[in-house]
Amino acid sequence: MTSPAAGPVTGVAPPASRAPLDRWRGYSRTVRVVLTLFFAVVAVNAFLAVVQRATEGYQPSGPSSSSLATDATGYEAWADLLAQSGHAVVRYREPLNQALGGTPPVSTVVVADPASLSSAEITSLHQFLVDGGRVVAIGVKTVPLLQSVLGTGAPRWAPVALDDATPAGAPVPETTGVGLVSATGSGGSWSSDGRAQPILEEDGAALALVAGVGQGRLVMVADSSVFSNQELATADNAQFALDVVGPAGARVAFDENAHGFGEGTGFGGLPLSWQWTVVIGTVAAGLWLWSRGRRFGPPELAGRVLPPPRRRYVEAVGTLLARTRPSGAGVEPVRSAARALLAVRASVPPDVGDAVLAGAASEAGVPQEVVAGALGGGQTGADVLAAGRALAWLEEARR
């Protein structure tokens, strides 16, 4: 039989499993207010987005000449056509000097109406061409790239708009199966007397040129509307759009970093409206916390503190009895209760002699100091304390 621990047991009871509502109530008021504000902001944004979609419907959008844009001037239809024709289509969201040379490598890079091209990006494109890559440069904003790559042999862009153009000169792979290419008449054209060869022209003005650079090939298109969602299905524009990117199965990359589609992560990856909402919500929560800060009290305990065990209480009573004078009248009830519990523990009648009871108790595994305290007759402070401790031990052992 295992005897009870001699020392008092203290500690904090582990929290029991609680229902969601109970757990919510268990949070401090500050936490509940902050969580409520956060979810309220999210709910309002979601509701406004649903209302906007329901009232306005789907609206084509996106920057011009972007393969992610769905409006009339975007290139999403071109990207879809390439994918359906067996080409692998990727969108570069990082600068070209970081994107080129990635795994797996691309065969063709489309640079259309870039907002800007850094010198590092131009250098990377030049090296990409020298190594055997293909670049399709579209629009007047690619002129700095052409001047850097072709030098004095770069074509000159002129605001002479063309409505249609037909293949010119010797047949080239870029115009295979092309008889007529249509444009909106709002762009421009090339004039070239250098390295570039006209492949589409009208009345001496070139809509498209090609030039060899190292082991690669540079295709230059003056009017970006040729490949737009609006014009792709007219004339032979779709065939031309397939031819300019190179052989079937080529891996084609669109430079989307040039159209503002940077590689957003974390907070920067959220829509602008959500960013402002988070900022405003954070400021509001911070102001509320600041206004309530002086009312904060000490940290809350993790659980409910239990009262001290009964053993400590009985020992305290025994100590008080030991200090009481005279002690005889006070200790006798304690000894009587201890003797009765000792008889129960030893499985003998309560009226047996002390010697018989002591022997039976020892055989039952009761510690000797407990037997002595229960059967002793002294009146000193130590005797009274021993009687109290014996009663405490027997009380605890009975449970």
Side-chain angles (χ1 to χ4, degrees), residues 33-34 37 41 277-291:
V33 169
V34 171
L37 286 174
V41 168
T277 301
V278 171
V279 170
I280 294 172
T282 302
V283 171
L287 291 175
W288 185 88
L289 291 174
W290 176 79
S291 67

Side-chain angles (χ1 to χ4, degrees), residues 98 145 155 169 195 233 250 310 314 319 327 331 354 376 397:
Q98 299 176 18
L145 168 64
R195 296 174 54 184
R310 182 177 178 83
V314 175
T319 302
S327 59
V331 75
D354 287 354

Side-chain angles (χ1 to χ4, degrees), residues 28-332:
S28 65
R29 183 179 178 184
T30 301
V31 173
R32 284 184 289 174
V33 169
V34 171
L35 289 176
T36 300
L37 286 174
F38 174 78
F39 287 113
V41 168
V42 173
V44 168
N45 270 276
F47 174 76
L48 293 177
V50 171
V51 171
Q52 182 179 13
R53 179 60 59 88
T55 55
E56 297 181 1
Y58 175 78
Q59 298 293 330
S61 60
S64 297
S65 306
S66 167
S67 66
L68 297 171
T70 56
D71 63 0
T73 60
Y75 281 1
E76 186 187 53
W78 185 13
D80 290 344
L81 175 65
L82 294 176
Q84 293 170 9
S85 301
H87 293 278
V89 177
V90 296
R91 274 96 170 180
Y92 283 158
R93 295 175 180 266
E94 60 269 27
L96 291 173
N97 55 300
Q98 299 176 18
L100 289 174
T103 303
V106 297
S107 305
T108 303
V109 176
V110 176
V111 182
D113 291 332
S116 64
L117 287 174
S118 67
S119 58
E121 289 181 294
I122 292 176
T123 300
S124 296
L125 285 170
H126 193 176
Q127 187 62 48
F128 176 73
L129 283 164
V130 171
D131 293 341
R134 175 184 291 262
V135 173
V136 181
I138 305 171
V140 63
K141 294 181 180 179
T142 62
V143 168
L145 168 64
L146 306 184
Q147 291 174 341
S148 176
V149 172
L150 300 178
T152 56
R156 296 179 298 277
W157 188 91
V160 178
L162 303 179
D163 294 322
D164 300 296
T166 56
V172 292
E174 288 78 10
T175 57
T176 301
V178 176
L180 179 69
V181 172
S182 174
T184 59
S186 58
S189 58
W190 301 116
S191 61
S192 174
D193 53 3
R195 296 174 54 184
Q197 171 190 349
I199 59 173
L200 289 174
E201 65 180 7
E202 179 185 17
D203 297 332
L207 179 63
L209 308 168
V210 294
V213 180
Q215 301 180 43
R217 195 163 177 86
L218 175 62
V219 181
M220 297 154 276
V221 181
D223 192 336
S224 58
S225 70
V226 170
F227 306 114
S228 67
N229 297 331
Q230 176 181 340
E231 293 293 315
L232 189 65
T234 62
D236 295 323
N237 292 30
Q239 184 61 52
F240 182 53
L242 291 174
D243 291 342
V244 293
V245 299
R251 187 174 177 85
V252 181
F254 286 86
D255 179 17
E256 293 301 338
N257 183 69
H259 300 128
F261 291 101
E263 189 175 13
T265 59
F267 184 75
L270 295 174
L272 183 61
S273 61
W274 284 78
Q275 291 182 13
W276 276 109
T277 301
V278 171
V279 170
I280 294 172
T282 302
V283 171
L287 291 175
W288 185 88
L289 291 174
W290 176 79
S291 67
R292 302 289 294 180
R294 59 184 178 182
R295 300 187 182 184
F296 288 171
E300 297 181 354
L301 297 176
R304 181 171 61 91
V305 179
L306 298 176
R310 182 177 178 83
R311 180 185 181 91
R312 294 183 60 187
Y313 170 74
V314 175
E315 288 186 351
V317 173
T319 302
L320 290 176
L321 290 175
R323 295 175 181 175
T324 304
R325 297 292 185 269
S327 59
V331 75
E332 285 309 321

